[in-house]
Amino acid sequence: MKENGGSDWLVCPRPRPDAALRVVCVPYAGGGPSAFWDWPGLLGDDVELWCAVLPGRERRFAEPALTDPALIGAPLAAAVRAEVRAPLALFGHSMGGLIAFDVTRRLGDAAGHLFVSAAKAPRLPFGDQPHLLDDAGLLAWMTRLGGVPEDLLAHEEMLALLLPTLRADLAVCAAFHGTDAVVDVPITAFSGTDDPLASVADVAAWQHHTTAGFDLVVRPGGHFYLQDDPAAVTSVVAAREGVQ
């Protein structure tokens, strides 16, 4: 899919100027905008999709990945303010959920809804410290979660290039935890029934991070349940905003 529009921090894969809603998606650790490339067709013509482009991946591969959440959240929020028209919502999977939460805090009333997926609530301890593992340990940890495609395991040189970004992203995740910050925006949280990294109870704890409404949607699957049936998630995103 051709990338159109956007700045260094954002890309709009399929512009829809007349859309009733804009959704900004933030990817999981190690992931990039291509994780959401199928979403415009799933969300329908009334939703315009924007994807966050973080340093260290895809078209910003040559840039070092960041480990300080503020160095991600501040410029990403500024880009959303400058380029994405309201009404808008944010969606983030795993690490992306934590970043989307930070961006929502920075946007204030410019954001109308926050969707977090497979992300342990920030008020809870992060738990494992996978970013402190060596390369072999980190790769084994990600493989257990189902986050490494089998065909990628055979490409050692590519893995060596990707692991620093993954390690930096997981350090970002660790830095987010231990806060009771809240947003005055409704939160819808998605959880996989068999997620070893963020249990249903861990995800349900997002209810403590909003002064507005809260919804919990539980889907079958593990940490990357989203890849099995993305339409089950996109339909909820559109429906919560009254688009479909």
Side-chain angles (χ1 to χ4, degrees), residues 5 23 35 43 47-49 56 66 71 73 82 97 109 113 124 140 158 163 170 177 189 199 241:
V23 177
L43 286 167
V47 181
E48 183 177 71
L49 178 76
L66 302 170
L71 296 181
D109 58 7
H113 205 116
L124 303 175
M158 181 61 71
L163 284 175
L170 292 171
H177 285 272
S199 69
E241 297 302 317

Side-chain angles (χ1 to χ4, degrees), residues 30 56-58 61 138 152 156-168:
R57 67 218 74 209
E58 298 189 18
F61 186 79
L138 179 56
L152 183 58
E156 294 184 4
E157 292 182 359
M158 181 61 71
L159 285 172
L161 292 172
L162 294 176
L163 284 175
T165 294
L166 176 59
R167 180 174 284 106

Side-chain angles (χ1 to χ4, degrees), residues 2-231:
K2 183 179 179 182
E3 298 180 355
N4 296 299
S7 63
D8 285 348
W9 285 91
L10 290 169
V11 63
C12 181
R14 190 181 299 174
R16 289 172 171 153
D18 297 326
L21 171 71
R22 282 147 193 88
V23 177
V24 179
C25 290
V26 189
Y28 48 83
S34 61
F36 303 104
W37 255 203
D38 293 336
W39 278 39
L42 296 172
L43 286 167
D45 293 340
D46 286 334
V47 181
E48 183 177 71
L49 178 76
W50 288 76
C51 301
V53 189
L54 308 184
R57 67 218 74 209
E58 298 189 18
R59 72 182 191 190
R60 301 183 71 181
F61 186 79
E63 301 176 50
L66 302 170
T67 57
D68 183 343
L71 296 181
I72 299 172
L76 181 53
V80 171
R81 259 189 202 285
E83 300 177 52
V84 184
R85 291 189 291 114
L88 68 91
L90 287 98
F91 175 95
H93 184 80
S94 195
M95 174 194 73
L98 297 168
I99 293 175
F101 174 64
D102 183 46
V103 171
T104 299
R105 289 176 59 202
R106 295 173 185 274
L107 290 176
D109 58 7
H113 205 116
L114 171 62
F115 299 90
V116 295
S117 170
K120 181 183 291 190
R123 73 197 309 263
L124 303 175
F126 183 53
D128 292 342
Q129 301 291 319
H131 56 293
L132 302 180
L133 297 171
D134 61 17
D135 285 356
L138 179 56
L139 182 58
W141 184 84
M142 277 300 295
T143 302
R144 287 195 298 273
L145 286 182
V148 182
E150 289 188 14
D151 55 351
L152 183 58
L153 292 173
H155 296 277
E156 294 184 4
E157 292 182 359
M158 181 61 71
L159 285 172
L161 292 172
L162 294 176
L163 284 175
T165 294
L166 176 59
R167 180 174 284 106
D169 286 352
L170 292 171
V172 168
C173 292
F176 268 113
H177 285 272
T179 176
D180 288 319
V182 299
V183 292
D184 188 23
V185 170
I187 293 178
T188 298
F190 296 87
S191 175
T193 52
D194 304 310
D195 189 339
L197 189 59
S199 69
V200 174
D202 291 338
V203 177
W206 278 97
Q207 65 188 294
H208 301 289
H209 291 279
T210 176
T211 57
F214 177 77
D215 249 333
L216 177 65
V217 180
V218 181
R219 298 292 307 161
H223 191 64
F224 289 96
Y225 77 91
L226 182 63
Q227 297 173 351
D228 298 328
D229 190 5

